[in-house]
Amino acid sequence: MKPTLVVLAAGMGSRYGGLKQIDKLGPSGQAILQYSVFDAARAGFGKVVFVIRRDIEKDFNELIISKVKKSIDAEYVFQDKTDLPVGFSLPETREKPWGTAHAVYAARTAVNEPFAVINADDFYGKEAYQTIAQYFSTLDAKDSGKYCMVGYPVANTLSEYGTVSRGICNTDANGNLTDVVERTKIIRENSKIVFIEGDSKTEIAENSPVSMNFWGFQPSFFKHLETYFTEFLKENINAPKAEFLIPWVVDKLIKKGDATCKVLTSNAKWFGVTYKEDRPAVVKKFQDLTDSGEYPADF
């Protein structure tokens, strides 16, 4: 069974200043997510499911779906803030959807096979898709609780133009994730990498593995999402900015013993557009990758 790629493309892009999910960055106007789909298809993925907002549906159909369908089965679902488990209703104070785990929850009716989850605005590198596809190929039905993620050294995931949010990962002797802590303000200051929390700054080692939201799950994950989303809402339904995040769910599952999460490593190079100032460097990187023959100029 070929795995599915779930692309989280419903983010507001507030720091970037626009719809970076469909920003034209490649030499023929490709968005970053088109490179992700290209890499997934050649790694053996059979389908892509985009999670988008309703207000970008028209542009998304015209600019993305019409193109990627030439090489892989593609569909999209909506992340809607009103999409809640039975027994809950949307409070008037809630303006945005509920976070990355809620975005995956939105894909529950479209995915029935092992699946990877990525951000639409991150470039992960072809090796990352090959690595996660290889991991999926080693599993069978009895491995429904075996998940994975692709980790990157934190030093390779920073922006020159401001802080970034990353999940700092710890692993056991078998390479399984033991702990993932979301740090929302990581930055390089002078020669050190630090995360900022209130008035304090804590140094992070250059090679500390971080989550770039490249996860690998089995369909069982959707059942767990339902359970933990309900738990999250009981505590946070009236907190207008609270977010239901993938690392939080994975952390709960690991600590309860309901799942393991292998931290996979590869030679893949990550880059992205957190801030608008990141854009020129990303455009150049795609041009360089095209010139080197890594990607065709138009696809």
Side-chain angles (χ1 to χ4, degrees):
M1 180 182 297
K2 291 185 176 182
T4 287
L5 180 66
V6 175
V7 182
L8 308 186
M12 302 299 287
S14 56
R15 287 181 293 181
Y16 183 65
L19 286 176
K20 57 183 176 178
Q21 298 91 338
I22 53 179
D23 194 6
K24 297 178 180 180
L25 300 169
S28 296
Q30 300 97 330
I32 286 182
L33 59 81
Q34 288 175 258
Y35 286 88
S36 298
V37 173
F38 184 91
D39 285 336
R42 59 178 170 174
F45 283 70
K47 183 176 71 173
V48 57
V49 176
F50 297 100
V51 182
I52 67 170
R53 302 199 314 267
R54 291 183 185 276
D55 62 297
I56 66 170
E57 180 181 14
K58 182 176 183 295
D59 286 342
F60 203 87
N61 261 316
E62 293 176 359
L63 298 174
I64 303 298
I65 293 293
S66 62
K67 295 178 180 178
V68 302
K69 274 191 171 181
K70 296 175 183 177
S71 59
I72 193 171
D73 288 342
E75 61 182 286
Y76 58 85
V77 296
F78 297 116
Q79 183 181 11
D80 192 320
K81 62 186 178 182
T82 64
D83 182 15
L84 302 174
V86 174
F88 295 93
S89 57
L90 185 74
E92 293 182 0
T93 55
R94 190 76 195 187
E95 296 180 359
K96 294 182 178 181
W98 298 88
T100 54
H102 181 245
V104 178
Y105 180 74
R108 63 194 181 278
T109 60
V111 180
N112 299 294
E113 52 281 314
F115 64 100
V117 175
I118 64 166
N119 294 331
D121 51 358
D122 289 330
F123 176 85
Y124 295 96
K126 70 173 184 178
E127 298 89 350
Y129 296 91
Q130 294 166 349
T131 298
I132 208 164
Q134 172 60 30
Y135 178 79
F136 280 141
S137 73
T138 68
L139 304 180
D140 56 32
K142 72 177 186 300
D143 297 319
S144 63
K146 290 188 176 181
Y147 305 152
C148 65
M149 60 162 285
V150 179
Y152 292 77
V154 66
N156 294 344
T157 71
L158 304 178
S159 170
E160 296 180 10
Y161 301 102
T163 61
V164 296
S165 177
R166 302 287 181 256
I168 306 294
C169 304
N170 296 306
T171 59
D172 62 19
N174 296 316
N176 288 320
L177 191 67
T178 57
D179 189 64
V180 55
V181 180
E182 195 77 10
R183 300 299 184 189
T184 57
K185 293 183 178 180
I186 299 175
I187 194 169
R188 184 182 292 279
E189 290 191 344
N190 302 318
S191 61
K192 297 179 179 180
I193 300 173
V194 299
F195 73 83
I196 303 168
E197 194 168 33
D199 295 328
S200 66
K201 296 179 180 180
T202 305
E203 186 176 356
I204 304 172
E206 298 267 330
N207 62 348
S208 295
V210 298
S211 165
M212 299 308 300
N213 229 34
F214 195 152
W215 301 91
F217 296 119
Q218 303 283 0
S220 62
F221 190 61
F222 292 114
K223 176 188 68 177
H224 294 307
L225 282 177
E226 183 86 23
T227 298
Y228 284 110
F229 194 24
T230 298
E231 177 182 315
F232 170 87
L233 290 172
K234 286 178 180 177
E235 298 179 2
N236 298 282
I237 186 71
N238 292 313
K241 295 184 178 181
E243 290 191 283
F244 180 50
L245 300 174
I246 294 170
W248 183 82
V249 177
V250 173
D251 193 53
K252 289 275 190 181
L253 292 171
I254 291 171
K255 286 182 168 56
K256 194 175 179 182
D258 287 337
T260 60
C261 185
K262 180 75 73 175
V263 177
L264 308 175
T265 59
S266 76
N267 295 321
K269 304 297 183 184
W270 174 95
F271 57 83
V273 282
T274 304
Y275 299 92
K276 211 165 188 67
E277 292 86 350
D278 293 321
R279 190 180 189 280
V282 171
V283 170
K284 184 180 186 304
K285 286 175 181 176
F286 280 134
Q287 187 62 60
D288 291 344
L289 286 168
T290 302
D291 292 342
S292 68
E294 189 68 44
Y295 297 92
D298 190 15
F299 59 89

